[in-house]
Amino acid sequence: MFIKLVRQFALPGAAGLLLMFAVLSSLTPEQGRAAPLIAPPQSPFAGAVSGVGVVEPQSEMISVATEIPGVVRDVLVAPGDKVEKGAALFALDSRAMRAALAEAQAA
């Protein structure tokens, strides 16, 4: 009995209310767009092309790694430089290693 009443009145009533909500929501004017918190970046050049993506080298991807972890202190090459195999590309911060060496020597 109760299920029959729900099928006859409640479900069509709920569907009608949802339909009215959808129609009213689409007819009301949209709210204005909020202003951005910061200004979008501007190019210093007269014409510019921008995009999002990954820059890949002409030849192949080359992995660069060190045997010990550390913070890069200085970059020894500039973009576009030709480097030989085994040449230093960057210098790591050696303060932690010097402190460990001094501690070992003191012991």
Side-chain angles (χ1 to χ4, degrees):
M1 173 87 178
F2 177 71
I3 295 175
K4 189 175 182 181
L5 287 174
V6 169
R7 284 186 188 162
Q8 277 185 333
F9 299 109
L11 290 177
L17 288 173
L18 289 173
L19 179 65
M20 287 191 326
F21 174 74
V23 169
L24 290 175
S25 295
S26 65
L27 294 179
T28 56
E30 291 185 26
Q31 298 291 331
R33 197 172 210 186
L37 296 177
I38 59 171
Q42 299 295 322
S43 173
F45 306 105
V49 176
S50 64
V52 176
V54 176
V55 177
E56 296 181 0
Q58 287 181 343
S59 59
E60 61 187 69
M61 297 295 283
I62 301 168
S63 297
V64 177
T66 64
E67 295 176 359
I68 56 171
V71 176
V72 174
R73 178 180 47 87
D74 192 21
V75 178
L76 306 174
V77 293
D81 284 355
K82 301 269 187 212
V83 294
E84 297 295 323
K85 182 177 180 179
L89 303 176
F90 54 87
L92 296 178
D93 186 8
S94 60
R95 290 180 292 181
M97 293 186 340
R98 286 190 309 229
L101 177 64
E103 183 178 321
Q105 287 174 342

